[in-house]
Amino acid sequence: MTNNSELDALFQSLADPTRRAILARLAHGSASVTDLFAPFDMALPSFLQHLRKLEDGGLIETTKQGRVRTCTLRVGALAPARGWMEEQRLLWEGRHDRLEDYLATLLQGPDTDG
Amino acid sequence: MTNNSELDALFQSLADPTRRAILARLAHGSASVTDLFAPFDMALPSFLQHLRKLEDGGLIETTKQGRVRTCTLRVGALAPARGWMEEQRLLWEGRHDRLEDYLATLLQGPDTDG
């Protein structure tokens, strides 16, 4: 069971277009901070804050070799968020099925064998 | 295509345990604000702010009849978030497949028919 604060941090990490773009880029493969930063029209410190948030949320990890810091997507990091949404979908569909059963009962009425 | 600000609001809505608990409750069926509020140990104004955030994020809708305000889950409201995560998974798996192909090539080497 994923704990609440982990899900909080995960969804919080995803609630920003820059961070989602970074993740989409890293899904194609690891990249240096310099390369990741290039397409963004923002100040480097702001960009680094986004990276830190992704790292705190457990979505990426970074390693430093010499002067180059490389960012890598963490496989399966999105799984708890997907799991939560799947639970909601099943709950909803379960309820929906029961509603359909109930409506079918109403439509049939008490005199279906008449 | 879901726009960025819609996804921002959606993920932001999900980044809180109270709001996720409200959604899980509403997946079982609509409920009045009073009934929804009952299990929570917080001040009503804070709770109402969470409801407003869910409404702003498009996850629930509320209707008022007399003095009773009823909250209902919006079917399909989570779909854009699920869609985004599914895209990321496919990107990642596509990359992973290509990596496996590449590794297979390396392992085979140039002398497989020797």
Side-chain angles (χ1 to χ4, degrees):
Chain A
M1 194 69 186
T2 304
N3 69 47
N4 267 327
S5 61
E6 189 184 342
L7 276 176
D8 290 358
L10 192 45
F11 284 124
Q12 188 64 59
S13 300
L14 298 177
D16 179 274
T18 301
R19 294 197 291 272
R20 289 195 303 275
I22 294 171
L23 293 174
R25 165 64 188 81
L26 290 177
H28 293 284
S30 300
S32 70
V33 171
T34 311
D35 287 350
L36 274 179
F37 175 56
F40 289 98
D41 186 23
M42 65 171 65
L44 182 59
S46 309
F47 186 76
L48 293 178
Q49 278 188 340
H50 284 304
L51 286 185
R52 192 163 311 119
K53 198 139 194 175
L54 287 174
E55 203 170 8
D56 292 348
L59 285 157
I60 66 168
E61 48 193 25
T62 73
T63 49
K64 195 164 186 177
Q65 209 167 16
R67 297 171 68 111
V68 178
R69 181 169 289 280
T70 302
C71 303
T72 305
L73 199 62
R74 286 191 58 223
V75 192
L78 288 178
R82 264 207 301 272
W84 184 84
M85 292 213 244
E86 190 59 15
E87 271 174 43
Q88 300 313 302
R89 194 177 64 79
L90 292 174
L91 276 176
W92 172 262
E93 287 182 355
R95 189 217 154 205
H96 196 67
D97 288 350
R98 288 196 303 278
L99 183 66
E100 281 187 341
D101 290 348
Y102 174 67
L103 291 177
T105 314
L106 285 187
L107 286 172
Q108 272 189 340
D111 54 353
T112 40
D113 57 352
Chain B
M1 192 72 186
T2 305
N3 69 46
N4 266 328
S5 61
E6 189 184 342
L7 276 176
D8 290 358
L10 191 46
F11 284 125
Q12 190 63 59
S13 299
L14 298 177
D16 179 275
T18 301
R19 293 196 290 272
R20 289 195 303 276
I22 293 170
L23 293 174
R25 166 64 189 80
L26 290 177
H28 293 283
S30 301
S32 70
V33 171
T34 310
D35 287 350
L36 274 179
F37 175 56
F40 289 97
D41 187 22
M42 65 171 64
L44 182 60
S46 309
F47 186 76
L48 293 178
Q49 278 187 341
H50 285 303
L51 285 185
R52 193 164 310 120
K53 197 138 194 177
L54 287 174
E55 204 171 6
D56 291 347
L59 285 157
I60 66 168
E61 49 193 24
T62 73
T63 49
K64 195 163 186 178
Q65 209 168 15
R67 298 172 66 110
V68 178
R69 181 169 289 280
T70 302
C71 303
T72 306
L73 198 63
R74 285 192 58 225
V75 192
L78 288 178
R82 264 207 303 270
W84 183 84
M85 291 213 245
E86 190 59 15
E87 270 174 44
Q88 300 312 302
R89 194 177 63 78
L90 293 175
L91 276 176
W92 173 262
E93 288 182 355
R95 189 216 154 207
H96 195 66
D97 288 349
R98 287 197 302 277
L99 183 67
E100 281 187 342
D101 290 348
Y102 174 66
L103 291 177
T105 314
L106 285 185
L107 286 172
Q108 271 187 342
D111 54 353
T112 41
D113 57 352

